[in-house]
Amino acid sequence: MDTLRTLFLNPPSVEGFDGGAGSRYQARREVRSFWYPTWLAQAAALVPNGKLIDAPADGIALSEVVLMAKGFDLCILHTSTPSFAGDAAVAARLKEEYPRMKIGLVGAHVAVLPEESLRAAPSADFVAREEFDFTLREIAQGLPLPEVEGISYRENGSVRHNRDRTPISDMDALPDVLDVYKRDLTVENYAIGYLLHPYVSLYTGRGCPARCTFCLWPQTVGGHVYRTRSPRKVLEDMAKAGSLFPQAKEFFFDDDTFTADLPRALEIAKGLGKLGVTWSCNSRANVPAEAIRAFKDNGLRLFLVGYESGDQKILNNIKKGVRLDIARRFTRDCREAGVKIHGTFILGLPGETRHTVEETIRFACELDVDTIQVSLAAPYPGTELHRQASHNGWLARPEPGALLRPDGTQDSTLGYPDLPAPEIARALKHMYARFYFRPRPMARMLAAMARDPAQRLRRMREGAEFLRFLFARPEAAAV
């Protein structure tokens, strides 16, 4: 079937802004980092007459995007809460240049605020809610908007909401994203500080059974049922990935929690071991030791683990579902098995005090994982955290753009009676300094640089970026 010529666009933004559909928190990182725009790539794989442009990763300015968009009938922009105003401006510029182009918006923000998004972005013709893969294929095939499930659209000055689309149950029905990656992306442009470079990331499933109150994707797009591709299909994809991207030094499974279905993960790992693949994944801090060893024996290099806080009450408040003692044991088991950990922590969650901030810093130093990421609690619309913050008056600045500073780095929008938002924001740099300016992390870094010249050059560049971030004077918050 013929389809509209469709442009899938991750729009340009602040320099270094990582707003791709794979980003858990959309912001400019402390070190230049980019996730793959996997959600857009998945939809693009269903539309033969399409193209994916990842403007931030490729360093493409808006003027270039406008020129590259010539000849397309349909443009799909991925947007996010902090970048929405800028993304709407991109849509307006495209509509100004190409008035006949149909423009649609996708992403978690428009999924939960479809009518508000259309009113705030008058150049957009529709938004696709929740999972949008087959929704966009139907639009590209020319199905009239009133007949497309899962969208909200304009009609005679009003916003119409079509019925929801049933979530995809057979994930094997989706084509892989690898051909789109090969055709449209430059894998060398994607770098994450704790992953080998170059890396390739992809999903093997969607959804997460955990109920963390702050987590964006399960509460807005993915859902709480872990829907997965079969191990056979995953291994076929990985064999193909190895062939298409021989330069990739590591593959990352970006499922919210790859280890949520442990028997399946172990089956996939055995196949990856036979393929000789080096891989890493997201995990909770509760995988048993025997499974960790089995993963390691079959090519696992690193777990990305959300520890979030060193205070058990805060973990309970956010429904994390993991105890600190279990997290400590998991970390010890990983170290004994030789599995690296990138630990993520969040400051400013409900119940945070000066004391709990200090507890979290001490906990991170005690765990002494290989690398850490510190985030500021981000109350995204559609999450339980956002509802709590709105109800309890914790939003120091409720406007969506307040999640970022003018330079695109994260800012604190939550504040509490005894812990105001600016103090939470300052604690982020303090935690980074306390963790990394210790003998052990510095010795690990220097040892890795001594072993690998390529690693040495990379770490010197990233180290300079990190120090500039750490010691920069804070910019005034966006208003």
Side-chain angles (χ1 to χ4, degrees):
M1 178 183 291
D2 291 337
T3 59
L4 300 176
R5 190 164 185 232
T6 304
L7 175 62
F8 296 87
L9 177 62
N10 192 19
S13 186
V14 176
E15 182 181 357
F17 179 81
D18 188 8
S23 301
R24 185 180 184 191
Y25 296 109
Q26 294 87 10
R28 179 182 175 188
R29 313 297 171 188
E30 298 83 5
V31 172
R32 182 178 173 84
S33 305
F34 288 108
W35 286 105
Y36 282 76
T38 311
W39 280 85
L40 279 179
Q42 186 67 80
L46 287 164
V47 180
N49 200 17
K51 180 177 178 61
L52 171 60
I53 294 178
D54 190 355
D58 288 345
I60 301 175
L62 176 57
S63 58
E64 297 176 82
V65 168
V66 172
L67 293 175
M68 297 170 74
K70 185 177 181 179
F72 286 94
D73 309 298
L74 172 64
C75 181
I76 305 301
L77 282 81
H78 183 271
T79 187
S80 67
T81 297
S83 68
F84 185 81
D87 300 335
V90 172
R93 180 69 185 87
L94 290 171
K95 185 70 83 171
E96 177 185 12
E97 189 71 22
Y98 309 112
R100 296 175 62 85
M101 176 186 282
K102 188 175 293 184
I103 295 178
L105 306 179
V106 298
H109 183 83
V110 300
V112 299
L113 298 172
E115 184 157 350
E116 296 88 338
S117 299
L118 283 171
R119 297 197 185 283
S123 296
D125 298 288
F126 68 91
V127 302
R129 309 187 306 267
E130 294 90 31
E131 284 184 319
F132 48 78
D133 313 88
F134 291 105
T135 299
L136 299 181
R137 185 177 71 172
E138 290 178 0
I139 294 172
Q141 289 173 340
L143 193 67
L145 294 184
E147 300 177 24
V148 180
E149 293 181 347
I151 70 166
S152 300
Y153 66 99
R154 300 181 194 282
E155 184 178 74
N156 300 324
S158 299
V159 175
R160 306 291 184 187
H161 303 284
N162 292 355
R163 67 179 183 180
D164 292 341
R165 181 175 291 271
T166 302
I168 300 168
S169 58
D170 179 12
M171 299 302 292
D172 283 357
L174 289 170
D176 66 68
V177 298
L178 299 167
D179 293 316
V180 174
Y181 282 6
K182 183 68 174 179
R183 183 190 68 199
D184 295 335
L185 305 181
T186 302
V187 298
E188 288 78 10
N189 288 352
Y190 296 88
I192 298 293
Y194 50 87
L195 297 179
L196 303 180
H197 183 263
Y199 82 101
V200 173
S201 73
L202 63 162
Y203 292 104
T204 75
R206 293 177 181 169
C208 180
R211 298 282 171 171
C212 305
T213 62
F214 62 87
C215 197
L216 177 65
W217 295 111
Q219 298 184 75
T220 57
V221 177
H224 287 292
V225 176
Y226 188 30
R227 296 163 291 130
T228 60
R229 290 167 83 79
S230 65
R232 175 191 59 80
K233 188 62 176 173
V234 172
L235 295 173
E236 287 177 1
D237 293 345
M238 293 308 301
K240 179 178 177 180
S243 176
L244 287 178
F245 305 107
Q247 73 271 46
K249 294 184 179 178
E250 177 169 24
F251 293 90
F252 186 82
F253 298 126
D254 202 18
D255 306 33
D256 294 307
T257 310
F258 179 75
T259 55
D261 184 343
L262 199 55
R264 170 183 176 270
L266 288 167
E267 183 178 350
I268 292 172
K270 291 177 182 178
L272 295 174
K274 294 176 182 177
L275 291 173
V277 171
T278 298
W279 58 282
S280 297
C281 69
N282 291 314
S283 176
R284 288 166 69 80
N286 58 2
V287 179
E290 60 273 16
I292 295 171
R293 290 192 294 269
F295 288 141
K296 174 64 178 177
D297 291 343
N298 287 284
L300 174 69
R301 190 186 71 86
L302 173 143
F303 279 133
L304 191 162
V305 179
Y307 293 99
E308 321 310 359
S309 175
D311 182 85
Q312 187 63 56
K313 184 177 179 180
I314 288 180
L315 294 181
N316 295 343
N317 289 345
I318 63 172
K319 303 179 182 177
K320 185 66 184 178
V322 173
R323 299 201 318 258
L324 291 175
D325 60 318
I326 299 297
R328 288 185 172 95
R329 185 177 67 192
F330 163 85
T331 306
R332 182 179 64 249
D333 291 341
C334 286
R335 182 174 293 112
E336 292 175 355
V339 174
K340 294 183 179 297
I341 295 178
H342 175 71
T344 64
F345 298 85
I346 301 175
L347 299 178
L349 292 166
E352 195 81 275
T353 64
R354 294 180 183 88
H355 175 70
T356 61
V357 168
E358 178 64 24
E359 279 190 319
T360 296
I361 295 172
R362 290 179 179 174
F363 182 57
C365 293
E366 173 200 336
L367 294 177
D368 195 36
V369 295
D370 297 89
T371 51
I372 67 167
Q373 173 183 315
V374 186
S375 298
L376 298 171
Y380 281 96
T383 64
E384 185 175 344
L385 177 60
H386 185 270
R387 292 189 290 273
Q388 290 175 326
S390 300
H391 177 75
N392 292 298
W394 297 337
L395 290 170
R397 300 190 347 265
E399 62 275 13
L403 289 165
L404 300 180
R405 293 181 177 276
D407 64 356
T409 56
Q410 56 185 331
D411 198 8
S412 179
T413 59
L414 292 181
Y416 305 100
D418 297 321
L419 192 66
E423 187 171 344
I424 296 171
R426 289 193 297 271
L428 180 144
K429 291 186 177 183
H430 180 63
M431 181 169 178
Y432 270 132
R434 287 270 299 275
F435 182 86
Y436 279 113
F437 295 161
R438 296 179 299 127
R440 284 184 180 178
M442 297 181 73
R444 283 197 297 266
M445 190 79 67
L446 291 172
M449 293 168 65
R451 288 193 300 267
D452 185 348
Q455 182 89 323
R456 181 161 58 249
L457 292 173
R458 180 186 180 192
R459 293 308 180 199
M460 289 175 65
R461 174 184 60 79
E462 292 177 341
E465 292 175 358
F466 181 71
L467 290 174
R468 281 197 297 270
F469 160 78
L470 207 59
F471 294 113
R473 293 172 63 106
E475 295 190 36
V479 294

